[in-house]
Amino acid sequence: MTSKNHDTSRDGNEDAVRAAIASVYKGWADNDADAFVAAYGPDATATLPGSHLPSRNAIRATMAALFAGQLKGSRAQYEVQAIRFLGDDAAIVTSKGGVVLAGQTEPPAKEWARETWVLAKVNGRWQVEAFHNCPEHAA
């Protein structure tokens, strides 16, 4: 049995995957729901504690409402911890993220979450197909 080793630094895939995720967080920092979902595929899903959003439109509508309400003026911090490529056009990213509410300088320690992203390369562009997060620490 052989295994393929992908040189992601050579072909730019790792940088492109990181850029797609960074664009999501840039949209958050700007409290811009359209920019937030620009890197999401049309059928992307987001699963969060207590909710499942079945499409990019649902994710956009939810974030627009949150940016107008409880997340107004917020941003998120994140750390990509690993990127694993599944061939040339799919990647799984694990990260750690936390919400920084208006007036805060960093997320409270108990508010950090573990995140899993599934991205696909579609027409030469990396896009988010699925996002999942769960609390890093039990309540």
Side-chain angles (χ1 to χ4, degrees), residues 34-48:
D34 291 320
F36 181 89
V37 298
Y40 280 77
D43 298 321
T45 61
T47 304
L48 310 160

Side-chain angles (χ1 to χ4, degrees), residues 8-132:
T8 58
S9 61
R10 178 178 55 91
D11 60 19
N13 281 330
E14 184 172 337
D15 289 343
V17 165
R18 287 178 182 275
I21 293 171
S23 75
V24 171
Y25 285 107
K26 170 78 169 87
W28 188 322
D30 294 340
N31 282 196
D32 181 337
D34 291 320
F36 181 89
V37 298
Y40 280 77
D43 298 321
T45 61
T47 304
L48 310 160
S51 68
H52 175 76
L53 305 173
S55 68
R56 178 176 57 205
N57 288 339
I59 296 165
R60 189 220 163 277
T62 298
M63 294 309 294
L66 289 169
F67 291 152
Q70 71 187 61
L71 293 182
K72 186 173 185 172
S74 70
R75 62 184 173 81
Q77 288 183 341
Y78 72 101
E79 301 166 12
V80 170
Q81 298 181 321
I83 300 174
R84 180 168 47 112
F85 288 93
L86 308 174
D88 295 330
D89 59 0
I92 297 173
V93 178
T94 53
S95 60
K96 178 180 171 180
V99 176
V100 181
L101 297 174
Q104 293 179 330
T105 57
E106 61 184 57
K110 67 180 181 168
E111 297 296 322
W112 284 94
R114 292 290 173 178
E115 304 168 330
T116 303
W117 304 77
V118 177
L119 289 92
K121 193 174 195 179
V122 178
N123 298 323
R125 177 181 165 261
W126 285 96
Q127 64 186 32
V128 178
E129 295 294 342
F131 173 78
H132 174 266

